[in-house]
Structure formats: structure tokens, C-alpha cells
């Protein structure tokens, strides 16, 4: 896809660091892939401590920051070549702000627009851009405009994938855990590929990983941690597994018994000589989140860059500039047929008769996600994390669904 492994590691590293700041007790979704190129463009044009902090946030040292715009463009080009994913970059500047030619040239040619100074008109134009580039999934630009705004740099990512094998949708009432007694929209599926599930021992604890494959080479990895693990620990562990620093033991190699969080391997009587089978039960979920990146300035390298007493970006413009706001709005949904996510980031079965006898034994692997869990949306070939999230509140069931206990 034209993106180097070092860039993938850097984006995934930002995903893990950001995820560790996720608070317990609430669901969220985030996209470091939408933030990283914007930080890289800023690092390319920064100097002093702001340059060092931004370079560190994007996984570079200060001397490498001069090439950060090239890495950002490489990532954006790679994203643009991924099936099922659309991306856009936007730049808007005040009429009086002159940009450095070298810095502006690193951005897509169609990206540059103008801020009129009319907050209502500019806001409407930015909102229209966000809606257009996310198919309406995010209809407002998260930028905070004020009369002193000189520049808005934004990205939009929209991801859609359909499952290679859809789930069957049903009502589900978990029998234990924090969702006990609630009627949820359950998604069930069975198959013979045990390698779709695995268990990994990570520094934060054991996690169960379930891969759900999409038709655009984008997969969603559902990750359930041990009781007591925080959302940040689970999502950080998920990146550890993805990066193969904590390899998972696949389903076919697991012993009998309770082998991982929400995962068991059992021997069952069967009427037929069935092959080993993986049974999955997960809840459907939908998430929306708004993030203020300046609330975690150390994660995103925005500590010094927000100091308005001096300029920090001489490589962007001769006019002194500081970061005013940095925000992301993101949405995601996991359902029976597929998954979609969008992020805008701005800096600003019976037979008749008696049943036959049970004569055969077969192995069954059961994965049940019946309490809060994390997920990663991952490009299969590069292992680039496109979105990550934590599911605290799954979808309730519809009244016309049959109930499964």
C-alpha cells in the first residue's frame, strides 16, 4: 500500500498511548490515523520545543521532523489506496496569512480554502466539508473558530466494510456480568476456522482476541480483557498483540477448559461427526465521541505549541502561529452485516421424528463478549489501526426479536 512499517508502528503507537488515557466507565471511539498526519504536518513546520514535542508524538526525533510532511503524505496516499476507505485533507487560512511554499506544497493541491472572518459562514462551510467527506456520518467540523483564527488544518476518514460471513441477529440477555438482565441485540455466528480467536498473555493481563474479517481487507479485532483491566490497558494490549509483541495462541492450539476471558474450549456429544467449531456471541454496538486533544497535550505533542505568547511554526508561515484548538469527532457501528466508522479531526434451524442418538464427540470453542470490551479496526495487509474503541453500552434489542439467554 506504499506505507512503510515505521509509519505503521508510529501510528499504532499513538493509538496505544491515546487509548491509555481512555476513562473507565464510558464507551468511546478514536482514530489516531486521522490525527497522526496533521501532527506530522505541524511538526514539519515547527521549531524549538514545539518541534521536539510534536516529533516525539509522531514517533520521530527532532532531526527527522523535517521529513514528517513526507511521511504524512505517504500515509494519506496509502489510505487513499485502501478499498472501502475514503480520506480527505482540508486547509483553510485567513486571507492575509501567507504560507511557506514548501510546506503548502506537501498538502494535496485541492486542500486549500479561505477563511472569510465571518464565523457563521466559515462554520457552515467547514461543516459542509465534514459532512461531504464522511457521507454525513460526521456533520460538524470539530474546529473551534474565534475571531483570531488564522488557519484550520483538518482530516476526514470514512471506513466501510461488509463481513465476509454475516452474523445472525437475535435478542440476547447475558446471564452474568454488568449487562446481566438487559435485553441486547446479539450477533451470533459459528464456523470451522478456529484461528479467528486466540488468547494472549500481555504485560497488562490476559486478553481474548476475535478477528471479524471484512470484504475490503479491513478487519475488526474484538478484544476482551481480564476482570479489573482498564479500557486503556485492554486497548494497549490489543496493539501489543497486533504488533506481535505479545503473540496470541490460536483457537486450534488451546487446551480444554476456561482458556481466556470469555473463552472456553469444551467437548460435546454430537449427532454427526462434526469438525471443531467456533461459536461466537457478541453485542451489536454504535458509538459516537468528541475528543479534545489538548486535554492530553503530552500524548499529542501540543504542550508548547499552544503557548500563544510566541510563534512556533516558522516553517508554515512567517507570521507567528500557535495551536488554538485540536479536536476530533468520530462515530462507529458494528452490526450483523458489517462495520463503518468516520472521523473528522481538526486542529483549530428441525427434522420430523425422534432425534438420532448422540454417538459422536466434537470440539467446540465458545467466545462470548458479555461485558465491556475493546476493538481495533485494522487494515489486514499493513496492520495499520484505522480506528479503536471501547464498548461500554451495547445496543438494546428491538421488540420483535426472539430472546436468547
Amino acid at each position: 500500500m506504499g506505507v512503510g512499517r515505521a509509519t505503521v508502528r508510529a501510528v499504532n503507537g499513538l493509538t496505544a498511548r491515546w487509548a491509555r488515557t481512555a476513562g473507565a466507565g464510558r464507551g468511546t471511539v478514536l482514530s489516531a490515523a486521522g490525527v497522526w498526519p496533521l501532527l506530522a504536518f505541524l511538526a514539519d513546520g515547527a521549531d524549538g520545543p514545539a518541534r521536539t514535542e510534536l516529533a516525539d508524538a509522531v514517533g520521530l526525533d527532532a532531526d527527522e521532523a523535517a521529513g514528517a510532511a513526507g511521511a504524512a503524505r505517504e500515509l494519506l496516499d496509502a489510505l487513499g489506496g485502501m478499498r472501502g476507505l475514503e480520506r480527505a485533507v482540508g486547509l483553510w487560512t485567513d486571507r492575509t496569512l501567507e504560507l511557506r511554499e514548501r510546506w503548502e506544497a506537501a498538502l494535496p493541491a485541492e486542500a486549500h480554502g479561505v477563511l472569510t472572518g465571518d464565523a457563521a459562514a466559515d462554520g457552515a462551510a467547514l461543516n459542509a466539508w465534514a459532512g461531504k467527506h464522511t457521507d454525513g456520518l460526521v456533520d460538524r467540523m470539530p474546529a473551534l473558530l474565534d475571531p483570531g483564527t488564522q488557519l484550520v488544518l483538518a482530516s476526514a476518514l470514512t471506513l466501510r466494510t461488509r463481513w465476509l460471513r454475516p452474523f445472525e441477529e437475535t435478542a440476547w440477555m447475558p446471564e452474568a456480568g454488568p449487562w446481566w438482565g438487559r435485553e441486547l441485540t446479539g450477533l451470533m455466528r459459528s464456523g470451522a476456522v478456529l484461528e479467528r480467536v486466540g488468547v494472549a498473555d500481555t504485560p497488562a493481563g490476559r486478553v481474548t482476541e476475535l478477528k471479524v474479517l471484512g470484504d475490503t481487507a479491513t478487519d475488526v479485532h474484538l478484544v476482551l480483557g481480564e476482570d479489573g483491566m482498564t479500557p486503556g490497558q485492554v486497548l494497549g494490549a490489543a496493539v501489543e498483540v497486533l504488533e506481535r509483541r505479545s503473540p496470541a495462541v490460536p483457537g486450534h492450539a488451546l487446551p480444554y477448559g476456561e482458556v481466556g476471558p470469555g473463552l472456553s474450549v469444551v467437548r460435546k456429544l454430537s449427532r454427526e461427526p462434526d469438525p471443531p467449531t467456533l461459536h461466537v456471541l457478541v453485542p451489536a454496538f454504535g458509538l459516537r465521541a468528541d475528543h479534545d486533544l489538548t486535554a492530553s497535550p503530552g500524548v499529542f505533542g501540543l504542550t508548547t505549541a499552544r503557548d500563544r505568547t510566541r510563534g512556533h511554526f516558522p516553517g508554515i508561515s512567517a507570521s507567528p502561529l500557535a495551536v488554538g484548538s485540536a479536536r476530533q469527532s468520530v462515530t462507529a457501528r458494528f452490526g450483523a452485516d458489517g462495520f463503518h466508522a468516520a472521523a473528522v479531526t481538526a486542529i483549530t434451524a428441525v427434522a420430523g421424528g425422534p432425534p438420532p442418538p448422540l454417538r459422536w464427540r466434537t470440539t467446540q470453542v465458545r467466545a462470548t463478549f458479555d461485558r465491556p470490551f475493546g476493538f481495533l479496526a485494522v487494515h489486514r495487509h499493513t496492520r495499520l489501526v484505522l480506528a479503536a474503541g471501547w464498548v461500554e453500552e451495547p445496543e438494546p434489542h428491538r421488540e420483535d426479536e426472539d430472546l436468547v439467554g
Side-chain angles (χ1 to χ4, degrees), residues 56 105 113 295 298:
D56 184 62

Side-chain angles (χ1 to χ4, degrees), residues 172-317:
W172 172 35
M173 183 177 288
E175 298 176 346
W179 299 333
W180 176 84
R182 295 175 56 180
E183 298 181 6
L184 309 178
T185 298
L187 305 177
M188 301 189 305
R189 198 170 74 179
S190 298
V193 185
L194 305 188
E195 288 75 11
R196 296 284 184 263
V197 74
V199 178
D201 284 314
T202 77
R206 286 194 310 161
V207 296
T208 294
E209 178 194 53
L210 174 70
K211 299 177 184 177
V212 186
L213 274 56
D215 64 354
T216 59
T218 295
D219 309 324
V220 176
H221 298 199
L222 305 181
V223 188
L224 184 65
E226 292 182 294
D227 282 327
M229 290 179 68
T230 67
Q233 287 176 321
V234 174
L235 289 170
V239 176
E240 288 279 330
V241 176
L242 179 67
E243 294 286 341
R244 298 173 181 167
R245 292 191 291 269
S246 297
V249 178
H252 74 271
L254 293 170
Y256 293 114
E258 301 294 325
V259 294
L263 189 66
S264 63
V265 181
V266 299
R267 293 280 279 176
K268 287 286 208 177
L269 291 172
S270 174
R271 299 184 181 93
E272 301 290 339
D274 297 325
T277 305
L278 170 63
H279 300 282
V280 172
L281 179 57
V282 302
F285 60 84
L287 295 164
R288 289 182 177 273
D290 294 294
H291 302 286
D292 180 358
L293 308 187
T294 64
S296 302
V299 173
F300 301 102
L302 297 174
T303 301
T304 300
R306 295 174 59 229
D307 177 6
R308 299 191 183 193
T309 64
R310 54 153 292 189
H312 308 283
F313 302 98
I316 295 178
S317 174

Side-chain angles (χ1 to χ4, degrees), residues 68-153:
R73 186 63 181 263
E74 174 194 66
L75 176 62
L76 291 169
D77 289 345
L79 292 172
M82 294 179 182
R83 291 185 298 125
L85 191 146
E86 297 180 9
R87 62 96 180 104
V89 173
L91 171 69
W92 296 263
T93 59
D94 183 83
R95 296 181 187 278
T96 63
L97 183 68
E98 295 185 6
L99 298 175
R100 300 290 190 189
E101 183 177 348
R102 171 190 166 277
W103 187 83
E104 185 179 9
L107 294 164
E110 70 279 6
H112 199 169
V114 176
L115 296 173
T116 67
D118 181 327
D122 289 339
L126 294 174
N127 291 343
W129 185 91
K132 173 184 176 182
H133 290 291
T134 62
D135 295 332
L137 295 173
V138 178
D139 58 5
R140 294 185 63 82
M141 178 72 75
L144 299 181
L145 299 180
D146 61 45
T149 300
Q150 297 286 296
L151 178 151
V152 176
L153 180 62

Side-chain angles (χ1 to χ4, degrees), residues 14-23 26 28 30 35 39 53-54 56-58 290-306 323 325-328 347:
L14 180 60
T15 297
R17 294 193 302 276
W18 188 359
R20 292 188 187 106
T21 70
R26 61 183 177 87
T28 194
L30 55 90
V35 177
L39 298 180
E53 292 168 4
L54 284 162
D56 184 62
V58 297
D290 294 294
H291 302 286
D292 180 358
L293 308 187
T294 64
S296 302
V299 173
F300 301 102
L302 297 174
T303 301
T304 300
R306 295 174 59 229
V323 169
S325 69
R327 306 179 69 88
Q328 181 179 89
I347 293 182

Side-chain angles (χ1 to χ4, degrees), residues 8 11-12 15-16 19 28-34 75 79 82-85 157-163 209-214 216-223 235 238-239 242-243 285 287 330-334 338-343 373-391:
V8 171
V11 178
N12 291 353
T15 297
T28 194
V29 58
L30 55 90
S31 175
L75 176 62
L79 292 172
M82 294 179 182
R83 291 185 298 125
L85 191 146
L157 294 180
T158 306
L159 166 65
R160 294 183 185 273
T161 193
R162 295 182 67 84
W163 307 136
E209 178 194 53
L210 174 70
K211 299 177 184 177
V212 186
L213 274 56
T216 59
T218 295
D219 309 324
V220 176
H221 298 199
L222 305 181
V223 188
L235 289 170
V239 176
L242 179 67
E243 294 286 341
F285 60 84
L287 295 164
V330 58
T331 181
R333 186 176 190 279
F334 183 106
F339 175 84
H340 70 241
F373 59 91
F375 72 88
L376 305 178
V378 180
H379 183 249
R380 189 180 308 147
H381 305 312
T382 63
R383 302 203 302 279
L384 174 69
V385 177
L386 302 170
W390 181 256
V391 181

